[in-house]
Amino acid sequence: TFKYNRISYRNTLSILLSIRRFYGDLSHKAFKRFCQPLVALKNPPQKLIGALEGRLDISLYRLGFFHSIYYSRQSILHNKVLVNGKKIGHGGFILQKGDYVEFCPSQRSAIRARLVARYKRFRSFQVKLERWRLSNRFKFELHLQPTPKWVQTDYSNLSFILSSDVCAPVMYPFRVDVDEALWSSRYSYLWWFF
């Protein structure tokens, strides 16, 4: 039987809140929906991290197209993002291997201008010289954060494609025990708090 322990309860609650906040203030219900089907699979912590990192709003934020998860979620809700040529109505859409993500043609110039203005202040003289030497399609790749190995990004067309499943370790700015988060969502002894 599970024995109630106040200290472990506090730690588990802190881990859950940190993970949910890190992925854009997920509700407890949404986080539980992510966890429940993954518990029975092989290596559930990796699958959970893969599912969370594979969300459309998280991917757009991690690739540097938007300055926050909330702004990327808002652009998805306003139908500015296309996945495989179709508009997606919710930010929690989980990308699969082979999905092609692009922006609506009417929004590309505004997003491109925002990207250039956002990364303009990080350019040094050598980067400006390299940028001048390169062709137009590689201009954005010098100034943005490196893309994960499972994503092929084309910043000149403002698009990317998932080339493989999401399976990379994520560096969290806090202590994380994904097994404990999965366990608490499975047995839901923290359900009453939310």
Side-chain angles (χ1 to χ4, degrees), residues 41-183:
L41 298 176
K42 184 179 177 184
N43 198 2
Q46 268 313 101
K47 299 284 185 187
L48 176 65
I49 291 172
L52 289 171
E53 286 291 322
R55 286 172 49 114
L56 181 58
D57 53 353
I58 303 294
S59 298
L60 288 171
Y61 168 68
R62 297 269 190 267
L63 292 174
F65 288 115
F66 297 103
H67 66 277
S68 72
I69 296 172
Y70 309 106
Y71 197 67
S72 67
R73 195 176 296 156
Q74 182 184 14
S75 67
I76 294 166
L77 291 175
H78 290 274
N79 297 323
K80 296 179 182 178
V81 180
L82 305 173
V83 177
N84 297 329
K86 297 177 184 174
K87 294 179 181 178
I88 301 298
H90 62 284
F93 181 79
I94 299 176
L95 297 170
Q96 302 294 327
K97 180 180 176 180
D99 281 345
Y100 180 71
V101 181
E102 60 184 339
F103 292 96
C104 286
S106 62
Q107 300 295 323
R108 287 184 186 164
S109 60
I111 293 171
R112 185 174 285 122
R114 192 178 318 117
L115 274 174
V116 169
R118 187 169 158 215
Y119 291 99
K120 193 173 190 177
R121 63 181 178 264
F122 297 114
R123 296 184 195 142
S124 65
F125 176 74
Q126 288 137 350
V127 172
K128 285 181 182 177
L129 187 63
E130 280 294 316
R131 183 174 181 264
W132 178 74
R133 289 182 189 157
L134 290 174
S135 66
N136 190 26
R137 59 180 245 197
F138 295 112
K139 282 184 181 179
F140 291 114
E141 292 182 350
L142 287 172
H143 317 299
L144 299 173
Q145 50 196 312
T147 59
K149 63 182 178 182
W150 65 84
V151 177
Q152 293 177 351
T153 309
D154 184 11
Y155 285 106
S156 62
N157 290 332
L158 297 177
S159 62
F160 66 92
I161 188 167
L162 258 68
S163 57
S164 66
D165 292 327
V166 179
C167 58
V170 177
M171 297 300 293
Y172 292 102
F174 49 86
R175 183 185 73 84
V176 173
D177 187 1
V178 180
D179 286 325
E180 190 172 345
L182 281 165
W183 181 86

Side-chain angles (χ1 to χ4, degrees), residues 13-26:
L13 183 64
S14 172
I15 288 170
L16 280 175
L17 292 176
S18 299
I19 290 174
R20 287 175 36 211
R21 175 67 54 95
F22 187 73
Y23 287 106
D25 280 336
L26 288 174

